[in-house]
Amino acid sequence: MFLTREEERILAGEKGVGSQRAMELLLAIGKIYDAERLVPVTSAHLSGVSYKTIGDGGLDFLMQMAEDARVSVRTTLNPAGMDRERWGEMGVSPEFARKQTAIIDTYAKMGVEANCTCTPYLTGNTPRQGETIAWAESSALSYVNSVLDARTNREGGPGALAAAIVGKTPMYGLHLEENRHATVVIEAEVQDEITDYSLLGHAVGLRLGGAVPYFKGIRPDVNGLKTLAAAMAAAGSVALFHVEGITPKASAQKLESLERVQIGREEIERAKDSLTTGRDPDLIALGCPHLSRMEMKMLASRLDGRRKRPDAPEVWFCTSRTVRTWCPKETAVLERFGKVLCDTCMIVAPIEPAHKCTATNSAKACTYLPGLCSQKVICDSYSALLEMIL
Ligand code: F3S
């Protein structure tokens, strides 16, 4: 891979050991994918934040990097293993909290914004059309590739951190125009319900793996798009999609020669049934990806004036700290029914000691809850889940 003089100097360690390690990693990735050169990025988003997922090894790695490395572009952070203010109420141990705080502080030392959300594009880190970026978090990167027409590969946590430090990323994959075209047409039939988009994404991800789908027949709003992106990336490895009449590059796609796949009600229902493995939840967890302001308002309007059943399961509404701050009235309503948690989610928090069966409307969460959190799972719509607590 071609390196400029400046890049060679970073590789030789002239800008410190952390930057050198970051450049070594970018070079290794570039060689694997046959990238010709590095391209500048304007922002990064990092996964690998929860102590539950990265452990002591991850913390040690970050502390070594933070000795002299700093990010050189705007960089935001994915959810951590706990709400930084309410971890005690979540049943998180003091030892876990101490390590988790150390991880977030270490990222902050490197200049990363410690906002801890998987929807940074809703709260300020919003790439503009055509920007080259390096984002981890499969749901977020698929959203910004598709809905905002920014350009990122499906980065892992270390690769995104390396790009954030160097300010560049290897030019391959979705940074190249020829890899951004639709490869299959999906003729979908869904009711305009957020959960349906999630289940559609699950079905598409399972069937098509890493394709670039072009959707016809659906009209998702921001919430539908973010859950569709999340589910496709979790069940498959979709990192870019187009939606007719909605996403910016949809009208430029050439569809004539593409395979067509129909996904209707039956397949959506099958996806829901296949994800459901339990009954009688002890936790209802909403907000995967993190709840938007619109979803907070919708949930609060459905619950306002109602009463929580005395035997209702515990409820988590997971959102970003920014959205929670934007929605004080809605938060007050939701807090009567559960906890409005920030910085974290039902997957990266250590829920398994306290909970055995979790209900959610997110196919992505349903995909990960059994393996990462040892949970039985119930997949259902917002309406059905709210009925369980009223
Ligand atoms: Fe976000 Fe956690 Fe879901 S990081 S996309 S809420 S699994």
Side-chain angles (χ1 to χ4, degrees), residues 45 78-80 117-119 121 137-140 226 230-231 286-291 318 344-349 362 364-365 368 372:
H45 180 74
N78 227 29
T117 178
C118 51
T119 56
Y121 49 84
E137 173 46 46
S138 60
S139 67
K226 78 176 165 68
L286 305 176
C288 171
H290 274 174
L291 295 170
C318 299
T344 191
C345 79
M346 65 298 280
I347 301 300
V348 295
S362 162
K364 172 173 178 174
Y368 290 140
L372 294 178

Side-chain angles (χ1 to χ4, degrees), residues 48 62 96 132 201 225 319 341:
L62 291 172
F96 185 102
T132 296
L225 288 162
T319 189
L341 296 175

Side-chain angles (χ1 to χ4, degrees), residues 146 180-188 200 204 208 210-220 228 232 238 240-256 258-263:
S146 312
R180 299 183 64 84
H181 300 146
T183 57
V184 58
V185 176
I186 310 287
E187 294 169 340
L200 171 63
V204 170
L208 300 169
V212 180
Y214 178 100
F215 287 95
K216 282 169 105 66
I218 60 172
R219 301 286 308 167
L228 177 68
M232 280 193 290
V238 174
L240 170 65
F241 60 95
H242 304 281
V243 182
E244 191 166 73
I246 301 229
T247 56
K249 284 297 170 71
S251 59
Q253 302 308 305
K254 296 195 170 59
L255 308 177
E256 300 76 40
L258 299 184
E259 180 197 354
R260 288 177 181 252
V261 172
Q262 258 112 31
I263 296 192

